Amino acid sequence: ANGAPEATASKDLAPPSDAAVSVPIAARPTFSDGMFEIELTKTAEQSKIGLDVDRHGGQSLRILKVKQGLINDWNETRADIEGKPQIKPGFRIIEVNGISMEPMRIMETVANSTTLKIVVKPQ
């Protein structure tokens, strides 16, 4: 059995426009209420997502500030694309890697995971 085709299949799924971006980035179709999911991968060079968040008051994390990090890098790759959402203060992180409803567990998941699938809800 030759496993080579399986190993290369996933590489063909990335759109060519992302080829110049050093951070692996994916955006999925939007959810209800304008929610959308992004995927970030921490690297040795960039291991911080770069957000100040408020974990009080509910089942999500409210973004207070976007700083240097993976989220800011993701925003910059989309700055010139009309109609593409950027992550901004006031938005809420609803879910990370399938963890939702528990802000402390969401924060632990962000801290301890290399690949992050983050569902964001605009304000």
Side-chain angles (χ1 to χ4, degrees), residues 32-63:
S32 60
D33 299 326
M35 291 190 293
F36 57 96
E37 180 179 84
I38 69 168
E39 186 172 321
L40 303 172
T41 303
K42 295 177 185 176
T43 63
E45 297 80 29
Q46 188 61 276
S47 62
K48 302 283 186 190
I49 67 167
L51 293 177
D52 286 343
V53 296
D54 178 5
R55 66 174 186 263
H56 303 292
Q59 302 168 333
S60 60
L61 298 173
R62 188 166 64 90
I63 298 171

Short mmCIF file of all heavy atoms in Angstrom, two decimals, residues 32-63:
data_model
loop_
_atom_site.label_atom_id
_atom_site.label_comp_id
_atom_site.label_asym_id
_atom_site.label_seq_id
_atom_site.Cartn_x
_atom_site.Cartn_y
_atom_site.Cartn_z
N SER A 32 -25.04 31.50 11.73
CA SER A 32 -26.13 32.45 11.96
C SER A 32 -25.60 33.65 12.75
O SER A 32 -24.54 33.57 13.38
CB SER A 32 -27.26 31.77 12.73
OG SER A 32 -26.79 31.31 13.98
N ASP A 33 -26.32 34.74 12.73
CA ASP A 33 -25.97 35.96 13.47
C ASP A 33 -24.60 36.52 13.07
O ASP A 33 -23.95 37.18 13.87
CB ASP A 33 -25.97 35.71 15.00
CG ASP A 33 -27.34 35.29 15.51
OD1 ASP A 33 -28.34 35.77 14.95
OD2 ASP A 33 -27.40 34.49 16.45
N GLY A 34 -24.15 36.22 11.86
CA GLY A 34 -22.86 36.75 11.40
C GLY A 34 -21.66 36.06 12.00
O GLY A 34 -20.53 36.47 11.76
N MET A 35 -21.87 35.01 12.78
CA MET A 35 -20.74 34.30 13.38
C MET A 35 -19.91 33.64 12.27
O MET A 35 -20.44 33.26 11.24
CB MET A 35 -21.21 33.24 14.37
CG MET A 35 -21.81 33.80 15.62
SD MET A 35 -22.09 32.54 16.90
CE MET A 35 -23.37 31.56 16.18
N PHE A 36 -18.61 33.53 12.52
CA PHE A 36 -17.73 32.86 11.57
C PHE A 36 -16.63 32.14 12.32
O PHE A 36 -16.38 32.42 13.49
CB PHE A 36 -17.15 33.85 10.54
CG PHE A 36 -16.39 35.00 11.13
CD1 PHE A 36 -15.01 34.96 11.25
CD2 PHE A 36 -17.05 36.15 11.56
CE1 PHE A 36 -14.29 36.02 11.78
CE2 PHE A 36 -16.34 37.22 12.10
CZ PHE A 36 -14.96 37.16 12.20
N GLU A 37 -16.01 31.17 11.65
CA GLU A 37 -14.96 30.37 12.27
C GLU A 37 -13.65 30.63 11.55
O GLU A 37 -13.60 30.71 10.33
CB GLU A 37 -15.31 28.88 12.18
CG GLU A 37 -14.24 27.99 12.82
CD GLU A 37 -14.61 26.51 12.73
OE1 GLU A 37 -14.33 25.90 11.69
OE2 GLU A 37 -15.18 26.00 13.70
N ILE A 38 -12.60 30.78 12.33
CA ILE A 38 -11.26 30.89 11.76
C ILE A 38 -10.40 29.78 12.36
O ILE A 38 -10.72 29.24 13.42
CB ILE A 38 -10.61 32.27 12.02
CG1 ILE A 38 -10.29 32.46 13.52
CG2 ILE A 38 -11.51 33.38 11.51
CD1 ILE A 38 -9.41 33.66 13.78
N GLU A 39 -9.33 29.45 11.65
CA GLU A 39 -8.40 28.45 12.15
C GLU A 39 -7.01 29.06 12.19
O GLU A 39 -6.55 29.64 11.20
CB GLU A 39 -8.42 27.22 11.24
CG GLU A 39 -7.57 26.08 11.78
CD GLU A 39 -7.75 24.79 10.99
OE1 GLU A 39 -8.88 24.48 10.58
OE2 GLU A 39 -6.72 24.11 10.79
N LEU A 40 -6.37 28.98 13.34
CA LEU A 40 -5.03 29.53 13.54
C LEU A 40 -4.11 28.41 14.03
O LEU A 40 -4.54 27.52 14.75
CB LEU A 40 -5.05 30.64 14.60
CG LEU A 40 -5.98 31.83 14.33
CD1 LEU A 40 -6.02 32.73 15.56
CD2 LEU A 40 -5.53 32.60 13.12
N THR A 41 -2.84 28.49 13.65
CA THR A 41 -1.85 27.54 14.13
C THR A 41 -0.68 28.30 14.75
O THR A 41 -0.07 29.14 14.09
CB THR A 41 -1.35 26.64 12.98
OG1 THR A 41 -2.47 25.98 12.40
CG2 THR A 41 -0.36 25.62 13.48
N LYS A 42 -0.42 28.00 16.01
CA LYS A 42 0.72 28.61 16.69
C LYS A 42 2.01 28.05 16.11
O LYS A 42 2.08 26.88 15.75
CB LYS A 42 0.67 28.33 18.19
CG LYS A 42 -0.52 28.94 18.89
CD LYS A 42 -0.52 28.52 20.35
CE LYS A 42 -1.75 29.01 21.08
NZ LYS A 42 -1.78 28.51 22.48
N THR A 43 3.03 28.91 16.02
CA THR A 43 4.34 28.49 15.54
C THR A 43 5.38 28.91 16.56
O THR A 43 5.08 29.66 17.50
CB THR A 43 4.67 29.15 14.18
OG1 THR A 43 4.75 30.58 14.39
CG2 THR A 43 3.63 28.84 13.12
N ALA A 44 6.62 28.49 16.35
CA ALA A 44 7.70 28.91 17.25
C ALA A 44 7.86 30.43 17.20
O ALA A 44 8.15 31.07 18.20
CB ALA A 44 9.00 28.22 16.84
N GLU A 45 7.66 31.01 16.01
CA GLU A 45 7.81 32.46 15.84
C GLU A 45 6.62 33.23 16.41
O GLU A 45 6.76 34.36 16.86
CB GLU A 45 7.97 32.83 14.36
CG GLU A 45 9.20 32.26 13.69
CD GLU A 45 9.03 30.80 13.29
OE1 GLU A 45 7.89 30.37 13.02
OE2 GLU A 45 10.04 30.07 13.25
N GLN A 46 5.44 32.64 16.34
CA GLN A 46 4.23 33.34 16.77
C GLN A 46 3.35 32.37 17.55
O GLN A 46 2.60 31.61 16.96
CB GLN A 46 3.48 33.90 15.56
CG GLN A 46 2.32 34.81 15.90
CD GLN A 46 2.74 36.04 16.66
OE1 GLN A 46 2.89 36.03 17.88
NE2 GLN A 46 2.95 37.14 15.95
N SER A 47 3.48 32.41 18.88
CA SER A 47 2.74 31.46 19.71
C SER A 47 1.60 32.11 20.49
O SER A 47 0.88 31.45 21.21
CB SER A 47 3.69 30.76 20.69
OG SER A 47 4.28 31.71 21.55
N LYS A 48 1.45 33.41 20.35
CA LYS A 48 0.39 34.14 21.07
C LYS A 48 -0.73 34.51 20.11
O LYS A 48 -0.47 34.91 18.97
CB LYS A 48 0.94 35.43 21.69
CG LYS A 48 2.09 35.22 22.65
CD LYS A 48 1.60 34.70 23.97
CE LYS A 48 2.76 34.63 24.97
NZ LYS A 48 2.40 33.93 26.18
N ILE A 49 -1.99 34.42 20.59
CA ILE A 49 -3.07 34.88 19.72
C ILE A 49 -3.21 36.40 19.79
O ILE A 49 -3.68 37.01 18.86
CB ILE A 49 -4.41 34.16 19.95
CG1 ILE A 49 -5.02 34.48 21.30
CG2 ILE A 49 -4.26 32.68 19.74
CD1 ILE A 49 -6.47 34.04 21.40
N GLY A 50 -2.80 37.01 20.90
CA GLY A 50 -2.73 38.46 20.98
C GLY A 50 -4.06 39.14 21.24
O GLY A 50 -4.42 40.09 20.55
N LEU A 51 -4.78 38.68 22.25
CA LEU A 51 -6.05 39.30 22.62
C LEU A 51 -6.09 39.58 24.11
O LEU A 51 -5.61 38.80 24.91
CB LEU A 51 -7.23 38.38 22.29
CG LEU A 51 -7.54 38.08 20.84
CD1 LEU A 51 -8.70 37.10 20.76
CD2 LEU A 51 -7.85 39.35 20.07
N ASP A 52 -6.69 40.73 24.47
CA ASP A 52 -7.15 40.94 25.84
C ASP A 52 -8.63 40.63 25.83
O ASP A 52 -9.36 41.13 24.96
CB ASP A 52 -6.93 42.39 26.27
CG ASP A 52 -5.48 42.71 26.56
OD1 ASP A 52 -4.68 41.78 26.75
OD2 ASP A 52 -5.14 43.91 26.59
N VAL A 53 -9.09 39.79 26.77
CA VAL A 53 -10.49 39.40 26.80
C VAL A 53 -11.08 39.59 28.19
O VAL A 53 -10.37 39.61 29.19
CB VAL A 53 -10.68 37.92 26.37
CG1 VAL A 53 -10.25 37.71 24.93
CG2 VAL A 53 -9.94 36.97 27.30
N ASP A 54 -12.40 39.72 28.21
CA ASP A 54 -13.17 39.76 29.46
C ASP A 54 -13.92 38.44 29.55
O ASP A 54 -14.73 38.13 28.68
CB ASP A 54 -14.14 40.94 29.42
CG ASP A 54 -15.01 41.02 30.67
OD1 ASP A 54 -14.79 40.22 31.61
OD2 ASP A 54 -15.91 41.87 30.69
N ARG A 55 -13.64 37.67 30.59
CA ARG A 55 -14.29 36.36 30.72
C ARG A 55 -15.51 36.43 31.63
O ARG A 55 -16.15 35.42 31.89
CB ARG A 55 -13.30 35.31 31.21
CG ARG A 55 -12.81 35.53 32.61
CD ARG A 55 -11.94 34.37 33.04
NE ARG A 55 -11.57 34.47 34.43
CZ ARG A 55 -10.43 34.96 34.87
NH1 ARG A 55 -9.53 35.41 34.01
NH2 ARG A 55 -10.17 35.02 36.16
N HIS A 56 -15.82 37.59 32.15
CA HIS A 56 -16.94 37.73 33.07
C HIS A 56 -18.22 38.04 32.30
O HIS A 56 -18.19 38.65 31.24
CB HIS A 56 -16.65 38.83 34.09
CG HIS A 56 -15.39 38.60 34.87
ND1 HIS A 56 -15.28 37.58 35.78
CD2 HIS A 56 -14.19 39.21 34.84
CE1 HIS A 56 -14.05 37.59 36.29
NE2 HIS A 56 -13.37 38.57 35.73
N GLY A 57 -19.33 37.61 32.86
CA GLY A 57 -20.61 38.00 32.28
C GLY A 57 -21.08 37.10 31.15
O GLY A 57 -21.42 37.60 30.09
N GLY A 58 -21.07 35.81 31.36
CA GLY A 58 -21.70 34.98 30.36
C GLY A 58 -20.94 33.74 29.97
O GLY A 58 -20.08 33.26 30.69
N GLN A 59 -21.26 33.28 28.76
CA GLN A 59 -20.78 31.99 28.29
C GLN A 59 -19.76 32.14 27.17
O GLN A 59 -19.47 31.18 26.47
CB GLN A 59 -21.99 31.18 27.81
CG GLN A 59 -23.03 31.01 28.90
CD GLN A 59 -24.34 30.48 28.37
OE1 GLN A 59 -24.68 30.69 27.21
NE2 GLN A 59 -25.09 29.82 29.22
N SER A 60 -19.25 33.35 27.00
CA SER A 60 -18.28 33.60 25.93
C SER A 60 -17.20 34.54 26.45
O SER A 60 -17.27 35.01 27.58
CB SER A 60 -18.99 34.23 24.72
OG SER A 60 -19.60 35.45 25.08
N LEU A 61 -16.20 34.80 25.62
CA LEU A 61 -15.14 35.76 25.96
C LEU A 61 -15.33 37.00 25.11
O LEU A 61 -15.37 36.91 23.88
CB LEU A 61 -13.76 35.16 25.67
CG LEU A 61 -13.38 33.90 26.45
CD1 LEU A 61 -12.06 33.35 25.92
CD2 LEU A 61 -13.27 34.19 27.93
N ARG A 62 -15.44 38.17 25.75
CA ARG A 62 -15.57 39.42 25.00
C ARG A 62 -14.17 39.96 24.73
O ARG A 62 -13.35 40.08 25.64
CB ARG A 62 -16.39 40.44 25.77
CG ARG A 62 -16.70 41.69 24.94
CD ARG A 62 -17.79 42.53 25.58
NE ARG A 62 -17.37 43.05 26.87
CZ ARG A 62 -16.75 44.22 27.05
NH1 ARG A 62 -16.48 44.99 26.03
NH2 ARG A 62 -16.41 44.61 28.26
N ILE A 63 -13.90 40.28 23.46
CA ILE A 63 -12.59 40.80 23.08
C ILE A 63 -12.51 42.27 23.44
O ILE A 63 -13.34 43.08 23.01
CB ILE A 63 -12.34 40.59 21.57
CG1 ILE A 63 -12.34 39.09 21.25
CG2 ILE A 63 -11.04 41.26 21.13
CD1 ILE A 63 -12.32 38.77 19.76
#
